[in-house]
Amino acid sequence: MLRTALAELRAHPGRFLAVGLAIVLGVGFAAATVVFTSSFDSALGRSMAAEVSRVDVVVTADRGSAQGSTVQGSVKPGSVDQVTPDLDKLRATRGVFSAEPAMRAYPGFTSATSRGAIALANIPVDPDRRWYSLASGRWPASGAELAVAQGTAKRNSWTLGSSITLGEAPDARTVTVVAILDTRISALTDATDTAYGTADLLSSLNGVQVGTADTAYLLVAPGFTPEQVAATITADSGGRLSARTSSDVTAEAVRDAGNGTSVIVGILLAFVSLAGLVAAMVVANTFTILITQRRRQIALLRCVGATGEQVRRSTLVEVAVVAVTGSVVGVVVGIVIGRLACAITGIDAADFRVPAGQLGLVGVIGVVVTLIAALAPVARATRIPPMAALRPVDGEERVRKVSAVRLGVGVLLVVAGGGLLAGGVHLGDLMIATAGGALTAIGVLVLLPWALPFVLAAFSGLGGLFGAHGRLATKNLLRNPGRSAATCTALVMGVGAIITLLVASASAQAGADQAVGAKYALDLQVGSRDDLPNSLPERLGRIEGMATTVAVTGTQVQLDGNDYLAYGPTATQFESVRNGGELSPGEIAVPGYLLGNGGLQPGETVTVRKGSFALSLTVAPRPISDDGALVMLSEDLRQLDPSAGVRAVWGKFAADADPNDVLGRVNPVLAPYAAVTVSGSGPLRASTADLLDTLVTIALALLGVTVVIAVVGIGNTLGLSVVERTRESALLRALGLRRGQLRSMLAIEAGLLALVAAVVGTFFGVLFGWAAVGAAFGQAEQSVVLSIPVGRVALVFVGAVLAGVIASVLPGRRAARATPTQALVDA
């Protein structure tokens, strides 16, 4: 029987093409997801913790500690004692290869083309520790030279040779840009203004000795592990130093930054199992078709002495060969697709990962799932009697009723899954919600053959619009709900998966915007302690890429005895430019450093004073301004200062604008105004949106594979229907139904099934998408934002219906080949 199985594969490879395609697509989807997510995690880790990507151990010191074995005291002029790691003692620690300080400064800057604040870090002496590279120019060699990131240079209109003043008089330093650096490991690494200089420059800005810093980066000597060195340093310092491996620092950074994107990645990984289930259903249906087509051949084998067990082994060999071949090809295809996905998202080749163990497991699962899916068709083959060889075609259509047991199991799964789903959302646990969603989806699939006649009945009037063959199509669907359910189930899952992702991604983007907007409510904020020229808001509003600008009044006030600049936009102004945050009359938004540990609590009443006038306001939940100013509505500010002038211009970028380009046009306009500060979330918010959009694009492309599998499944199941209804098709031809009408009848059947699948899939897709977002954002301790991208959902809906109709083309042509005489021959 082994030789028989191999001979069958060699003689009729085309018969197994549909099965192989389903396996390749299913395994390829899973493999591509594994490759992409592994690479994405690597890239996200590098981007979020780029500074430690070239080091082994990060050492930080507790402020206020006394001198110890690996710490030393240093005094910054005008400050209290600051404890810093002793670099010499760290270098002498067993297992340490090298140690360098990590110095930071955040000075304000002015230049001929811009002004603002910049994050400044020292350039490591060891070139291997520099995670960035030169795009142009040369490395700074003195404290009078500076290297800036490409995005920073673009936003501030800086080039090689640009002169920049850092800090304020009398300690200001003038430096020259001598290098433009490529720091774009990902979209997130170049969103804020950053620059790099020598240790001399950082020391002069901080007012400390060269090499003094509260953080040190270490490389580990060969033969030692970062964990060993970190533990040694922590023990030697008596706990006064915190030594962590760079992998731990990276993992923490990814956790802090990945809440929005983890929603998409988590849902995408959950869809792997759904795609596998869709592929398994297609495999089962396709093998059923093959067994039906080979019914006479198998019966002849039984006539010449083959036992049912031999038929079973022979068929399983065929399945195993196809499964192994399809899984191997699927893994290879998945690796290629994953690499393309990485290239599209800008993931560097250094971060491309091919996890052999996980991919091997995917291949094994593909083979196992295929074998399991084929068990029922194989068992059916063993029950074919030898006498079936005497009948040309078994044209009797098999109608199977939905059993009470299946109905009960389906209801139980839906109830249990729905409970877990609701519990996961309520508790903010994505794992519980995913398990609940999976159980609910399985329950829906189990109940679909029972529920489908009721749903089809609701759409039956549509078939009548196409005449007699349309009514016949509706009758055919209703008389065999099991087959109809099998036909549209795969498409239900494909549509549901895509709608779930669309809803989840739209909600994740809205949530990410809200999270960024809560911290940085404005794309652009231009502030001044003096009144701004009346022409400035209009000039900024004319800049390409600026959607809206508003002139905001402001005045100097006092809060808890300290002086602050307070802004007072009108409610309409604030609504027109805000990304997030809420502000009502009687509320005041304070800087983030004053909230929580800063001493003020949301809802607390504070008193704001202007001269002799005092006004009581309630602290708003979140800050709005990111330049240290207070914000209240104009009606409240006018009570404090009726003559307040324009002290700020707030702006919102156009949806399709490049924030770096916009800021590059804004900065030259503001450069002549010495007292102006520039801030806002534009680059950061746009980079987050770009990353999520890219993830969604890749995810949708991968999920499109699920729809392709579903379309293959519809074609296969319609093919089975054609085989079972050969005599019926011939009889309809004998009664006068033309070939075109017969093809139309099958197209209407497929269209109605696809329509039902699209309706059911869209309903559950929206439900599961909202549940996934609710659980994921609850787990991330973020407020839930639900959003439905109506345009994209409608496009998927229409596409699913068209895909179903297209899947009927080949089966329709086969059915149309039935001749009227066949009805008499088979009688």
Side-chain angles (χ1 to χ4, degrees), residues 445-536:
L445 297 178
V446 171
L447 290 176
L448 199 57
W450 170 80
L452 193 64
F454 302 101
V455 181
L456 284 172
F459 292 91
S460 59
L462 296 177
L465 298 177
F466 297 94
H469 54 290
R471 290 191 293 272
L472 280 172
T474 304
K475 296 289 185 182
N476 286 334
L477 294 177
L478 291 175
R479 71 182 181 181
N480 195 331
R483 186 182 63 208
S484 299
T487 304
C488 71
T489 296
L491 192 56
V492 167
M493 298 183 67
V495 171
I498 291 180
I499 298 298
T500 300
L501 179 65
L502 287 176
V503 172
S505 63
S507 299
Q509 180 60 66
D513 278 351
Q514 176 178 285
V516 175
K519 187 175 182 181
Y520 307 102
L522 307 169
D523 283 346
L524 176 68
Q525 182 176 336
V526 179
S528 173
R529 294 189 175 274
D530 301 320
D531 289 350
L532 293 173
N534 293 330
S535 61
L536 185 59

Side-chain angles (χ1 to χ4, degrees), residues 356-413:
Q358 296 181 45
L359 290 176
L361 182 61
V362 166
V364 171
I365 292 175
V367 174
V368 173
V369 169
T370 303
L371 291 173
I372 293 174
L375 288 179
V378 169
R380 193 172 297 121
T382 63
R383 293 194 296 267
I384 296 176
M387 293 299 294
L390 303 178
R391 292 194 297 268
V393 177
D394 186 357
E396 181 183 357
E397 188 177 14
R398 295 166 178 78
V399 181
R400 301 179 181 88
K401 295 183 179 180
V402 178
S403 67
V405 174
R406 178 169 184 165
L407 186 61
V409 171
V411 171
L412 181 63
L413 287 173

Side-chain angles (χ1 to χ4, degrees), residues 4 8 59 84 277 353 438 546 626 643 757 780-781 793:
T4 302
E8 179 67 24
V59 180
T84 60
L277 184 56
R353 298 290 183 268
M546 190 73 71
D626 62 347
S643 62
E781 298 182 353
V793 169

Side-chain angles (χ1 to χ4, degrees), residues 151-176:
T152 302
K154 183 177 182 180
R155 288 189 292 271
N156 294 282
S157 301
W158 292 339
T159 60
L160 295 177
S162 293
S163 180
I164 303 168
T165 299
L166 301 175
E168 299 179 357
D171 300 321
R173 295 288 303 270
T174 299
V175 296
T176 302

Side-chain angles (χ1 to χ4, degrees), residues 235-583:
D236 287 351
S237 69
R240 291 184 294 271
L241 290 180
S242 172
R244 295 187 297 165
T245 66
S246 59
S247 59
D248 289 340
V249 175
T250 299
E252 181 179 347
V254 171
R255 284 195 301 270
D256 291 342
N259 288 338
T261 57
S262 65
V263 175
I264 306 299
V265 175
I267 292 173
L268 182 58
L269 290 174
F271 286 160
V272 171
S273 59
L274 290 180
L277 184 56
V278 171
M281 294 169 59
V282 172
V283 168
N285 290 337
T286 305
F287 267 112
T288 300
I289 294 172
L290 292 178
I291 297 300
T292 303
Q293 291 175 336
R294 296 167 56 190
R295 187 175 179 83
R296 182 190 296 179
Q297 176 188 348
I298 295 173
L300 286 173
L301 289 174
R302 296 296 307 278
C303 286
V304 298
T307 65
E309 177 61 23
Q310 288 176 316
V311 170
R312 185 183 68 82
R313 288 201 304 267
S314 175
T315 310
L316 283 177
V317 168
E318 296 175 14
V319 174
V321 172
V322 175
V324 171
T325 304
S327 295
V328 171
V329 175
V331 168
V332 174
V333 170
I335 293 174
V336 174
I337 295 175
R339 184 67 187 94
L340 291 176
C342 291
I344 293 173
T345 55
I347 295 176
D348 192 83
D351 290 312
F352 179 62
R353 298 290 183 268
V354 182
Q358 296 181 45
L359 290 176
L361 182 61
V362 166
V364 171
I365 292 175
V367 174
V368 173
V369 169
T370 303
L371 291 173
I372 293 174
L375 288 179
V378 169
R380 193 172 297 121
T382 63
R383 293 194 296 267
I384 296 176
M387 293 299 294
L390 303 178
R391 292 194 297 268
V393 177
D394 186 357
E396 181 183 357
E397 188 177 14
R398 295 166 178 78
V399 181
R400 301 179 181 88
K401 295 183 179 180
V402 178
S403 67
V405 174
R406 178 169 184 165
L407 186 61
V409 171
V411 171
L412 181 63
L413 287 173
V414 169
V415 172
L420 283 176
L421 193 64
V425 174
H426 177 70
L427 297 174
D429 192 313
L430 186 58
M431 291 297 294
I432 294 177
T434 300
L439 285 179
T440 305
I442 294 173
V444 170
L445 297 178
V446 171
L447 290 176
L448 199 57
W450 170 80
L452 193 64
F454 302 101
V455 181
L456 284 172
F459 292 91
S460 59
L462 296 177
L465 298 177
F466 297 94
H469 54 290
R471 290 191 293 272
L472 280 172
T474 304
K475 296 289 185 182
N476 286 334
L477 294 177
L478 291 175
R479 71 182 181 181
N480 195 331
R483 186 182 63 208
S484 299
T487 304
C488 71
T489 296
L491 192 56
V492 167
M493 298 183 67
V495 171
I498 291 180
I499 298 298
T500 300
L501 179 65
L502 287 176
V503 172
S505 63
S507 299
Q509 180 60 66
D513 278 351
Q514 176 178 285
V516 175
K519 187 175 182 181
Y520 307 102
L522 307 169
D523 283 346
L524 176 68
Q525 182 176 336
V526 179
S528 173
R529 294 189 175 274
D530 301 320
D531 289 350
L532 293 173
N534 293 330
S535 61
L536 185 59
E538 182 181 355
R539 291 176 62 193
L540 293 176
R542 291 197 301 265
I543 290 177
E544 181 183 354
M546 190 73 71
T548 306
T549 56
V550 295
V552 180
T553 57
T555 189
Q556 294 293 129
V557 299
Q558 282 193 329
L559 175 64
D560 291 338
N562 296 313
D563 292 329
Y564 292 92
L565 176 63
Y567 298 131
T570 66
T572 302
Q573 287 179 327
F574 183 54
E575 184 66 28
S576 67
V577 296
R578 73 182 182 92
N579 295 318
E582 300 288 343
L583 193 64

Side-chain angles (χ1 to χ4, degrees), residues 768-796:
F768 291 157
W770 278 359
V773 168
F777 275 76
Q779 183 170 297
E781 298 182 353
Q782 296 180 3
S783 57
V784 179
V785 180
L786 301 177
S787 176
I788 300 179
V790 177
R792 287 186 174 186
V793 169
L795 186 62
V796 172

